[in-house]
Amino acid sequence: MAKNFNSGAPAAVGALQGEAVRVGDRPLAEQLPNLELTPPFLLMFHPNRWMVVVIGESAELLPELGSLPVEPGIAHTDEQGDPSLAIAKKTRNNWIILPEAWATEEDTPDKAPGYVRRYRGRRGLYHATAWTEIRVAAGRVIPSCNRESYYAWLRKLMSDRRLPPPDPAIVEALLDRSRSRAERALARDTEGNAIAARLAREAAAKVEALEGISEKQGSLLLKPLGTEEG
Amino acid sequence: MAGEIFYSNATDLQLSAVLHQELGLLLADRASIWGHPALFYCGDLNGRGSTTIKKPLVGLAGYDEMAAVAENASASNTALTDAGPTVTIARQALQRQQSDLQKFINSVGLNPQLLALDMVGAAAMRFTSMIAALSSGFSQSVGSTGVDMSVDDWYDADITMMLNSVALGRLAMLHPRQLADLRTSLRAEAGAVQFMDATAELLQAKGPGYAGSFLGNDIFNSSKVPTANGGDDRAGMLVARGAIGWADGSVGAISGAGGVVMPAGTKIMVEFERDASGALTKIVGNYYVGVAEFQDLMGVGIVTDA
């Protein structure tokens, strides 16, 4: 067995013989997780962005939120960190910026207000949503979403009329795209091709989900010239 | 017999470990998208009078088309459509501090000059992160939450761009998870489509993050692609030239500055600041850069399972 001159730490050779391994002199638990350095952000909604969420036998359309980074130099946030211009530009392009106050203690899994959470990682601060769960397993960082709570918050935003429901025209466009995709997937689904079979199943499920979703809301119709409003 | 000289008992005559003379690099994503032609460079703001530069966009060269006019009728004016997206630069910095003791005893070349050169890589990766952060700001997106990326998502993105009359020569920025899922799904494909892997020459030309091209679009692989939908997904993007713009600023000479290094070919300024009392040398790299979305319909988000 090799001589180990590090006080208190077993040798690497010892690991081959079944002893526990430490990284240097520090136990693994004390190391900061290998998280990326990410900027703080604001969540935002666009009427064009929806995601099909299938839970059991039911499916629904929920907003697929985007994020506006709030950090100097990115997307019009100025050198002092003021995102006013960034917010104004996005709002002009039909985005709705979600204030953090729209996520209350009742909406978040950790019962704290706001939707941005910070974690200390090896490279600095990692910003994530309140519904992001970060697990560290064998030195690997695995983020995932507390879907039940997140989807409940999105539904609440829609039921409270803070976010509008999907326009039927948008739903139709999504359905059209999904049908094309399902047809492509079906054409590839030959016997023995497991990957193609899986893609075909996923595509078909999405089409079925979208066909089942029907929200009758009026679209904004343009009036032709010569009519009262035209 | 007693008195043998073993390695284990001659502790005053040897070291526990010696250093290899070559300093190696820890594993990290060092693939930078700096200078890719799909990202529109607006210029250097040194001496321009503002931290913000506006890119004038005008609806010409076929944006409006002629209309039929009767032989003796007068044509009427067609309004000119214009836009002026802007990008604002801001300071990005990295600082390290090294003691004299550490500097003069080290035997592997870890010195202020090496730390100064490190600033180039740091600035390049910062730029890449800033570009990646724009991916969830496009109003159009393809993909399904919780579902692995597939060739169909690629087609959806490509078709979305085609429907917007966006020309070829686009750039996709995907997370390694997305790229891996795309390659897996490609195995189910048959026919004339081909994924062109990155060759050594292309890597040289396009940078270490270049992963190949598919259907005429370059693919750039980066772990800086952010998460979406609470961490369940990754938000990659497919953009054409004109979707994203960037600008930077060169600092130039500063009176009274300590030792200054400006790595060749970059706008990064690296300064050395001496703390004689503490026997410390501070190495500070500064880079002034900004990125912004210019034309929303020239890009599409690709949101798929993480």
Side-chain angles (χ1 to χ4, degrees):
Chain A
M1 187 172 173
K3 178 71 176 179
N4 172 38
F5 294 95
N6 292 325
S7 58
V13 172
L16 296 176
Q17 298 174 352
E19 292 181 40
V21 175
R22 291 153 64 101
V23 179
D25 285 326
R26 293 173 297 148
L28 285 171
E30 290 177 13
Q31 291 184 14
L32 290 173
N34 188 15
L35 288 165
E36 303 137 21
L37 177 67
T38 58
F41 56 89
L42 291 169
L43 289 175
M44 50 185 190
F45 162 82
H46 195 280
N48 220 13
R49 289 173 55 125
W50 296 90
M51 55 182 181
V52 178
V53 170
V54 179
I55 301 173
E57 295 295 315
S58 67
E60 59 184 323
L61 271 180
L62 290 176
E64 185 179 82
L65 300 180
S67 68
L68 177 65
V70 179
E71 204 163 60
I74 306 178
H76 309 108
T77 298
D78 72 9
E79 65 280 354
Q80 301 300 323
D82 181 7
S84 304
L85 180 61
I87 291 170
K89 283 184 177 282
K90 285 297 182 188
T91 305
R92 199 161 56 195
N93 289 335
N94 300 312
W95 288 90
I96 297 172
I97 308 294
L98 277 59
E100 280 219 65
W102 284 9
T104 65
E105 293 91 343
E106 294 161 358
D107 303 316
T108 58
D110 58 5
K111 304 301 175 196
Y115 55 64
V116 180
R117 299 292 182 267
R118 302 185 310 170
Y119 298 85
R120 189 165 298 282
R122 221 173 274 175
R123 297 175 180 81
L125 290 178
Y126 175 82
H127 293 83
T129 68
W131 301 273
T132 303
E133 293 171 345
I134 298 177
R135 290 181 178 78
V136 181
R140 206 176 142 219
V141 172
I142 305 165
S144 63
C145 178
N146 182 330
R147 291 180 189 179
E148 193 183 327
S149 179
Y150 181 56
Y151 293 163
W153 180 62
L154 293 176
R155 284 185 207 107
K156 183 184 161 196
L157 290 176
M158 292 173 67
S159 65
D160 288 350
R161 302 286 184 193
R162 286 187 157 145
L163 298 181
D167 191 290
I170 302 292
V171 178
E172 198 55 42
L174 284 173
L175 187 53
D176 188 50
R177 190 165 75 192
S178 296
R179 282 182 181 139
S180 303
R181 189 184 168 115
E183 282 165 10
R184 286 198 304 268
L186 204 57
R188 287 196 305 267
D189 185 11
T190 57
E191 196 174 321
N193 192 334
I195 296 168
R198 175 177 62 80
L199 292 174
R201 276 196 310 273
E202 286 170 357
K206 191 167 177 182
V207 170
E208 198 180 321
L210 279 167
E211 283 173 345
I213 291 167
S214 59
E215 178 76 29
K216 302 300 178 194
Q217 294 282 332
S219 297
L220 179 65
L221 286 179
L222 283 180
K223 300 287 184 193
L225 290 171
T227 59
E228 249 180 62
E229 294 86 355
Chain B
M1 196 167 303
E4 296 89 347
I5 302 171
F6 288 127
Y7 176 77
S8 58
N9 63 15
T11 55
D12 289 333
L13 304 179
Q14 59 225 7
L15 300 169
S16 59
V18 293
L19 285 175
H20 187 262
Q21 287 307 297
E22 186 185 333
L23 195 59
L25 294 175
L26 281 172
L27 177 64
D29 181 359
R30 295 184 175 84
S32 159
I33 204 170
W34 227 355
H36 194 285
L39 306 174
F40 186 83
Y41 177 55
C42 291
D44 188 326
L45 288 176
N46 182 315
R48 302 290 291 274
S50 176
T51 56
T52 300
I53 186 164
K54 181 184 283 192
K55 168 68 181 167
L57 297 174
V58 68
L60 293 174
Y63 186 89
D64 296 303
E65 58 183 68
M66 293 185 178
V69 179
E71 183 183 0
N72 58 342
S74 299
S76 57
N77 291 333
T78 298
L80 190 66
T81 308
D82 62 2
T86 59
V87 59
T88 303
I89 65 170
R91 181 183 170 210
Q92 317 295 323
L94 180 70
Q95 176 179 302
R96 298 194 196 273
Q97 201 164 24
Q98 187 183 33
S99 73
D100 291 353
L101 180 63
Q102 204 287 324
K103 177 182 172 298
F104 76 74
I105 63 103
N106 101 82
S107 61
V108 294
L110 184 67
N111 52 39
Q113 286 68 34
L114 183 66
L115 293 172
L117 281 177
D118 168 60
M119 297 298 171
V120 178
M125 292 318 298
R126 175 61 181 155
F127 178 81
T128 302
S129 293
M130 291 168 75
I131 293 289
L134 297 174
S135 66
S136 60
F138 289 103
S139 64
Q140 301 169 111
S141 73
V142 299
S144 305
T145 183
V147 177
D148 291 348
M149 178 153 186
S150 69
V151 173
D152 288 311
D153 296 311
W154 184 271
Y155 274 114
D156 284 344
D158 195 60
I159 288 167
T160 301
M161 299 284 261
M162 208 185 309
L163 292 173
N164 293 336
S165 305
V166 179
L168 273 178
R170 310 172 197 133
L171 166 72
M173 194 169 183
L174 300 178
H175 188 267
R177 180 71 265 166
Q178 293 182 299
L179 182 60
D181 292 338
L182 175 64
R183 294 183 84 118
T184 300
S185 120
L186 274 167
R187 296 178 61 191
E189 292 295 309
V193 293
Q194 183 187 7
F195 184 95
M196 315 256 294
D197 265 305
T199 61
E201 290 80 15
L202 283 169
L203 280 171
Q204 195 88 7
K206 303 201 184 208
Y210 177 70
S213 79
F214 186 49
L215 296 181
N217 304 316
D218 282 351
I219 301 175
F220 185 85
N221 182 21
S222 176
S223 66
K224 306 298 180 185
V225 169
T227 58
N229 295 324
D232 256 358
D233 305 315
R234 287 283 175 180
M237 59 181 169
L238 178 66
V239 296
R241 181 174 169 80
I244 291 175
W246 67 284
D248 58 13
S250 49
V251 179
I254 295 181
S255 307
V260 171
V261 172
M262 299 196 67
T266 72
K267 307 272 177 73
I268 302 158
M269 178 156 163
V270 183
E271 290 179 78
F272 300 97
E273 188 182 302
R274 180 74 190 145
D275 173 6
S277 171
L280 295 163
T281 303
K282 198 180 282 182
I283 303 100
V284 184
N286 285 300
Y287 178 45
Y288 293 83
V289 67
V291 303
E293 183 186 296
F294 272 11
Q295 296 199 65
D296 180 66
L297 292 181
M298 294 182 85
V300 57
I302 303 175
V303 181
T304 58
D305 190 41

